[in-house]
Amino acid sequence: MVRHGFGYLLDQLHLTDFLPYHERFKKNVEEEQAAELSRGERVRLVLTDLGGTFIKFGQILSTRPDLVPKDILVELEKLQDQVPPVPFEDIKKQIENELGASLEETFEHFDLKPLAAASIGQVHAACLKDKRDVVVKVRRPGIENKMETDLEILFDLARLAEKHSALGRHYQIVEIVDEFAWGLKRELDYSVEGRNAERLERNSRQDENVKIPKVFWEYSSNKVLTMERIDGLKLTNLEAIDTRGYNRRVIAENLARTLLKQMLQDGFFHADPHPGNIAVLPDSSICFMDFGLVGYISPERKKQITRLLLALVRRDSSQIVKAILEMGVISKTTELQKLRRDMDMLISLYYSVPLGKLNLGAVIREILDLAFAHRVQIPSEMTLLAKALITLEGVIKDLDPSISIVEIAEPFAKKLLKEQFAPVSILKEVQDQLQDFFNIAVSIPKKADKVLDKTLEGDLTVKIEHQNLNRVLSYLDKMANKLSFSIVLLSFSMVMAALVIGSAIGRGGSDFFWQLPILEIAFVTSVVMFLWLLISIFRSGRF
């Protein structure tokens, strides 16, 4: 952090207290040298230097425009795993330990060179004994221990950020790291990725335009995942798609409808639809790959998203703000009047834009930027969906710029809205609300009785937290150190004076007592104590 100009954050987190004095001076010099780069570039460099876990954390933060400033967000989106592949012998040993058989017994052929390598694992092409082509995803040996240590560091930093920073407390940094740790541990478990693929396959069975690779569970574990290898052209290879005569518009429409169905209808979607994770087959059907990052949307959240999309289509700023407030956490400093005013100004920019020309990704990004500016924290599943939509729109634009995702999404949103207002849905919602009300009403007497019991027993406690107490204590600590320094300096001066006087008086006597070097001992002792206190004060940084 110091090397890339973020030493001041160490000061805020009180970590500088652990540095020797000469290291603090060196920190200031290095901070000045790093100031040439932008803030976002320096954040990216810090995470890159720290490696796999922190790179993953940065990639997740790149999906949170409600938490991260725009200049940093742009740089976080550039984060890529840049790791050398694991030696083949280590990969072979990992597979054989997991599957309980030698590589030669399990596979007819296994490519030594990986198709791809990342911080968590790498992928190899292979062929089973029954001649079926597969891809084998293998977790890096020992990666879980390294990531566990990295997560402990992240949690420590998050707790310090919440303790010493108002922003850290508002954005609940510990909760964000906890959510990231949960997702990372799921990503480490390849059986979870296999189940994600199977769930997407079940949801897509009625759609002939979608293909999800089959999972071979008999050749898989939580560290090894073997899946069907499908021969298709990745969307990164547009030149080959054109050469083979594929219809770009049909591909784009199939992809948009598939992902919108996953998001708005199924509530379970592929959350990383970049061109490298999508292939197209000869019949223009879409094949998804890599199911480590998926999004889940609850029925309640789907209602909120539906209302937000319809409000966007209708350019209704008041309904957009209402939808954002329904799904977001509002800060004490959020001024709703200003938020509504800024939303009106944003939507006014798009009033004259035809629906077919509306850039949904850009609008969503600007809405999330507004949420960040007004300290409204959007739920992670919503920001993940927004990120997926923005990525999808970029892919669609490359395939066929004339296609509008808004026009494709509108029928889905209207259908969902119609379902919400169907008599059966309304009746169910009323029943749920009545059940909640009944549960609350039943629990009130018990809770009131507990409060009264604690009050009568004298056990009722009220927690009061002073917002600036740490700052006051730190100031008092500095004052005490300066006072101690002054007293010791005065004492030292007095000892020096006593030494001079004592030398003049005592040296002339013949008493045995005066022959002892008492004054010298006192002088050395006072010097040692003086230096010890001085070093302690400077080490604490509170002078």
Side-chain angles (χ1 to χ4, degrees):
M1 292 175 74
V2 170
R3 184 163 63 249
H4 296 297
F6 291 106
Y8 66 90
L9 289 179
L10 303 183
D11 295 332
Q12 289 182 10
L13 300 180
H14 292 239
L15 289 172
T16 316
D17 298 352
F18 299 101
L19 288 177
Y21 189 71
H22 69 280
E23 287 290 342
R24 297 180 203 178
F25 177 75
K26 180 182 174 184
K27 173 180 80 68
N28 296 333
V29 173
E30 290 185 339
E31 278 192 282
E32 290 176 7
Q33 293 172 347
E36 299 174 4
L37 297 175
S38 71
R39 180 177 62 169
E41 287 175 312
R42 288 184 283 122
V43 169
R44 175 171 53 79
L45 290 172
V46 167
L47 296 175
T48 302
D49 282 359
L50 288 170
T53 310
F54 292 86
I55 290 173
K56 286 282 179 189
F57 188 55
Q59 290 170 344
I60 294 297
L61 285 180
S62 73
T63 69
R64 301 300 305 267
D66 61 317
L67 297 178
V68 181
K70 195 169 185 178
D71 61 314
I72 297 178
L73 202 72
V74 171
E75 291 296 327
L76 292 182
E77 289 172 346
K78 298 176 183 177
L79 280 171
Q80 298 293 331
D81 292 331
Q82 297 174 347
V83 292
V86 177
F88 178 71
E89 284 304 315
D90 294 340
I91 290 294
K92 180 181 178 182
K93 185 178 179 181
Q94 179 90 306
I95 295 173
E96 291 177 345
N97 287 341
E98 288 299 305
L99 302 186
S102 69
L103 208 64
E104 293 74 20
E105 291 174 329
T106 307
F107 300 99
E108 183 71 24
H109 170 73
F110 194 96
D111 282 358
L112 305 186
K113 186 178 179 181
L115 296 171
S119 56
I120 290 179
Q122 59 191 49
V123 182
H124 290 259
C127 180
L128 297 173
K129 288 292 186 180
D130 59 8
K131 309 301 181 185
R132 286 180 294 181
D133 290 328
V134 295
V135 290
V136 184
K137 196 170 184 178
V138 190
R139 195 165 85 189
R140 286 176 171 262
I143 189 66
E144 59 272 21
N145 294 330
K146 184 182 186 314
M147 289 194 163
E148 192 67 39
T149 303
D150 287 344
L151 287 174
E152 286 180 17
I153 295 169
L154 264 176
F155 273 114
D156 285 341
L157 291 173
R159 282 189 282 268
L160 285 169
E162 285 200 4
K163 182 179 179 181
H164 298 294
S165 164
L167 277 176
R169 287 189 291 275
H170 168 66
Y171 286 114
Q172 299 174 318
I173 303 297
V174 172
E175 188 177 316
I176 291 170
V177 174
D178 188 53
E179 187 178 312
F180 165 69
W182 178 82
L184 185 61
K185 287 172 182 176
R186 285 175 63 86
E187 198 171 341
L188 281 169
D189 187 349
Y190 285 163
S191 62
V192 173
E193 183 173 344
R195 291 195 293 272
N196 290 340
E198 286 196 329
R199 183 171 177 179
L200 285 173
E201 191 276 330
R202 283 196 303 272
N203 292 342
S204 306
R205 281 178 187 170
Q206 304 303 318
D207 191 346
E208 58 184 17
N209 294 317
V210 182
K211 176 69 176 176
I212 306 293
K214 179 183 177 182
V215 179
F216 296 101
W217 288 110
E218 62 271 33
Y219 305 108
S220 301
S221 71
N222 65 337
K223 296 181 181 178
V224 175
L225 180 63
T226 302
M227 302 183 74
E228 175 186 8
R229 186 176 185 182
I230 296 175
D231 187 23
L233 287 175
K234 286 193 175 183
L235 294 188
T236 51
N237 197 352
L238 294 178
E239 187 178 339
I241 288 173
D242 292 336
T243 302
R244 295 195 186 183
Y246 292 175
N247 190 322
R248 283 199 189 190
R249 184 175 184 84
V250 173
I251 295 169
E253 288 176 345
N254 287 342
L255 176 60
R257 287 197 184 94
T258 298
L259 269 170
L260 287 169
K261 175 184 175 292
Q262 291 176 3
M263 294 172 180
L264 302 177
Q265 190 170 315
D266 302 333
F268 187 79
F269 61 95
H270 192 295
D272 194 18
H274 67 76
N277 282 339
I278 304 169
V280 58
L281 304 182
D283 60 354
S284 295
S285 58
I286 302 299
C287 174
F288 290 96
M289 304 172 189
D290 195 341
F291 307 95
L293 186 61
V294 295
Y296 171 74
I297 303 173
S298 66
E300 181 60 32
R301 198 71 77 197
K302 271 200 291 185
K303 294 176 185 177
Q304 294 169 350
I305 291 168
T306 300
R307 288 194 282 271
L308 176 62
L309 284 176
L310 283 175
L312 282 172
V313 169
R314 295 166 181 168
R315 298 170 174 83
D316 188 335
S317 59
S318 63
Q319 288 301 314
I320 291 172
V321 171
K322 187 177 179 182
I324 289 173
L325 296 179
E326 278 182 3
M327 65 177 70
V329 177
I330 308 172
S331 165
K332 293 177 182 177
T333 59
T334 301
E335 297 184 37
L336 296 183
Q337 200 63 36
K338 286 186 178 180
L339 176 60
R340 291 189 177 96
R341 182 201 64 197
D342 290 347
M343 190 63 70
D344 282 336
M345 291 177 63
L346 172 62
I347 296 304
S348 67
L349 299 174
Y350 296 97
Y351 272 128
S352 59
V353 180
L355 190 63
K357 301 293 183 182
L358 191 65
N359 189 327
L360 183 62
V363 177
I364 290 176
R365 172 61 62 84
E366 291 188 63
I367 288 174
L368 292 177
D369 287 345
L370 268 184
F372 172 80
H374 289 274
R375 302 255 182 109
V376 179
Q377 186 179 344
I378 305 297
S380 59
E381 62 267 32
M382 177 56 194
T383 57
L384 197 60
L385 180 139
K387 176 73 173 178
L389 274 175
I390 291 166
T391 305
L392 171 65
E393 194 162 52
V395 175
I396 297 299
K397 187 177 179 180
D398 289 338
L399 286 168
D400 188 343
S402 66
I403 291 179
S404 168
I405 290 185
V406 178
E407 290 181 336
I408 297 175
E410 189 179 13
F412 282 100
K414 285 182 176 179
K415 182 182 177 183
L416 284 172
L417 197 65
K418 187 177 180 181
E419 289 174 358
Q420 287 177 23
F421 288 101
V424 176
S425 299
I426 293 173
L427 181 61
K428 186 179 183 306
E429 189 163 344
V430 169
Q431 287 175 338
D432 291 341
Q433 295 287 345
L434 287 173
Q435 183 64 50
D436 290 341
F437 179 77
F438 176 76
N439 291 337
I440 292 170
V442 168
S443 67
I444 285 175
K446 291 181 180 179
K447 291 180 178 178
D449 188 45
K450 285 182 180 179
V451 172
L452 288 172
D453 285 343
K454 283 185 177 291
T455 304
L456 293 171
E457 293 169 6
D459 292 335
L460 187 67
T461 57
V462 179
K463 184 179 178 182
I464 300 175
E465 183 178 344
H466 195 294
Q467 293 296 320
N468 296 311
L469 186 60
N470 286 334
R471 189 182 301 172
V472 173
L473 291 175
S474 179
Y475 179 71
L476 290 174
D477 196 11
K478 288 180 180 180
M479 287 180 62
N481 281 335
K482 287 181 179 180
L483 182 60
S484 301
F485 180 74
S486 302
I487 292 171
V488 171
L489 190 60
L490 179 61
S491 302
F492 182 66
S493 302
M494 291 173 68
V495 168
M496 290 296 292
L499 179 63
V500 173
I501 297 169
S503 296
I505 297 173
R507 291 300 178 189
S510 58
D511 258 34
F512 172 74
F513 179 79
W514 291 108
Q515 300 303 315
L516 294 175
I518 294 174
L519 295 174
E520 286 83 348
I521 292 171
F523 171 71
V524 171
T525 304
S526 65
V527 168
V528 170
M529 291 180 66
F530 172 73
L531 291 174
W532 174 77
L533 180 61
L534 193 63
I535 291 169
S536 298
I537 291 173
F538 278 113
R539 280 177 64 86
S540 71
R542 298 187 177 118
F543 187 74

